[in-house]
Amino acid sequence: MTRHSIRNPPRPSDNGPIILYLPPGLPSDTRPHQQHNPLNTLALSAQATIIHINYRLSPKDPYPKPIHDVLASYDWILKHLLATTHNDSPYKPHLPKLGICGELVGGSLASMLALTECHVDKRGISATALGNPIVDWSSPFDTPHSSHADDFDRRIVALRSNSFSNPQQRYDPFASPLLFFRTPAFELPTPAYNGISPPTTSKSEPSELDSPPSLTPQRRSHRKYPPADSRLRLPNTRIDVGETNPLREQAVEISQLMQRSVDLYERGEGGYRGASDEAQRRVKVMEREGKGLWGEGEMMEVGAWFGEVLRSRG
């Protein structure tokens, strides 16, 4: 059973915002400046109730277990924390607004939930903040050769190798949310590559850094998302990306595709010529130095952004 922990702000208010927090899914020793408690930081800076969802992910608990854990937790939250809050009102004006945030694997799961639960006519997610999210497991990560890779690069590659027992599961949009917006860049792997890195002499040096898996590129095509008549509206989104993070390219790509979706399918603009001011307001990209991982200062910024967005009338 998925575990939850709840942190209230110093001055809680009735129907105040609720933010779901998904941890990054990497050992803490790979992340600098983690002496702070992210739940306390978010609760203080956003003045919101924070719910920590501790999903499972390990070689013994691979995908899709993290997806199932997050969906089960979300259902529990809707049933037990929001079910008695003015749910008879047709417009539900008093329901607290929901946000979700996560980094790395947590960003992958947060984007999955935000993109599928952003309903306009019932309780749904209004805002999401993502830190270097893994939004495409189906493509090899943009890591340097092992001679130039650092500890973070090695662990990210090992994470990709160890998180799936079946490589086809990487092509599920619920695992790789970028694929809601376009087709995969590579065909399904051949049987010769089963998605698990060959044994290595050192756990800190996955072979994929030296010999990327043999995948066949294919032409990418756009997909219409959200689907017509789905009653989904893409949430206000903030994506933090590190300049040297191997996940930067896919994080930037999903932001561009989300902006495109806002313009083409919500605003009905014909002949897409680049993101409009409105699309860039709805989907922001924040460039950060280095790997761009969240420390206390970054979490304070994210919390302040949530506090503003979740209390707005828009």
Side-chain angles (χ1 to χ4, degrees), residues 14-118:
D14 291 340
N15 302 310
I18 295 176
I19 300 173
L20 314 183
Y21 172 77
L22 304 177
L26 279 185
S28 59
D29 62 351
T30 68
R31 302 168 40 72
H33 314 304
Q34 288 300 300
Q35 299 301 317
H36 77 104
N37 184 317
L39 303 187
N40 290 340
T41 304
L42 272 177
L44 177 64
S45 55
Q47 279 298 298
T49 297
I50 312 301
I51 302 177
H52 174 264
I53 299 176
N54 190 21
Y55 57 87
R56 296 169 293 171
L57 179 61
S58 70
K60 294 182 179 180
D61 292 304
Y63 273 81
K65 284 186 180 179
I67 296 172
H68 296 162
D69 286 349
V70 170
L71 293 175
S73 294
Y74 185 69
D75 288 342
W76 184 91
I77 290 165
L78 294 182
K79 180 178 179 181
H80 294 280
L81 299 186
L82 299 181
T84 60
T85 312
H86 299 277
N87 58 3
D88 292 330
S89 169
Y91 300 103
K92 301 178 174 62
H94 302 294
L95 285 175
K97 286 189 175 182
L98 289 176
I100 187 168
C101 73
E103 186 178 21
L104 304 175
V105 179
S108 175
L109 296 166
S111 59
M112 174 274 296
L113 194 65
L115 291 172
T116 57
E117 294 293 335
C118 50

Side-chain angles (χ1 to χ4, degrees), residues 263-311:
D263 282 336
L264 287 181
Y265 308 133
E266 286 187 26
R267 304 179 74 239
E269 291 191 353
Y272 186 67
R273 295 177 296 276
S276 66
D277 291 343
E278 170 63 13
Q280 294 182 61
R281 181 191 69 81
R282 286 269 302 283
V283 183
K284 295 177 179 289
V285 177
M286 308 296 292
E287 294 272 2
R288 296 196 178 278
E289 295 181 354
K291 291 293 192 286
L293 302 179
W294 282 346
E296 184 174 11
E298 290 79 14
M299 292 299 287
M300 289 289 289
E301 287 183 29
V302 168
W305 177 82
F306 268 124
E308 178 182 349
V309 171
L310 293 177
R311 287 181 173 83

Side-chain angles (χ1 to χ4, degrees), residues 6 12 23 39 50 52 63 94 117 133 143-144 151 164 191 200 217 244 259 261 274 283:
I6 300 176
L39 303 187
I50 312 301
H52 174 264
Y63 273 81
H94 302 294
E117 294 293 335
T143 50
D151 185 59
F164 294 84
T200 61
T244 63
Q259 291 169 346
S261 177
V283 183

Side-chain angles (χ1 to χ4, degrees), residues 26 30 141-146 148-160 204-206 209 244-247 291:
L26 279 185
T30 68
F141 298 154
D142 186 22
T143 50
H145 188 273
S146 61
H148 300 286
D150 59 21
D151 185 59
F152 177 84
D153 298 328
R154 299 173 194 277
R155 290 177 183 268
I156 281 289
V157 169
L159 187 68
R160 182 177 184 272
S204 64
E205 193 168 1
L209 287 167
T244 63
N245 198 300
L247 304 170
K291 291 293 192 286

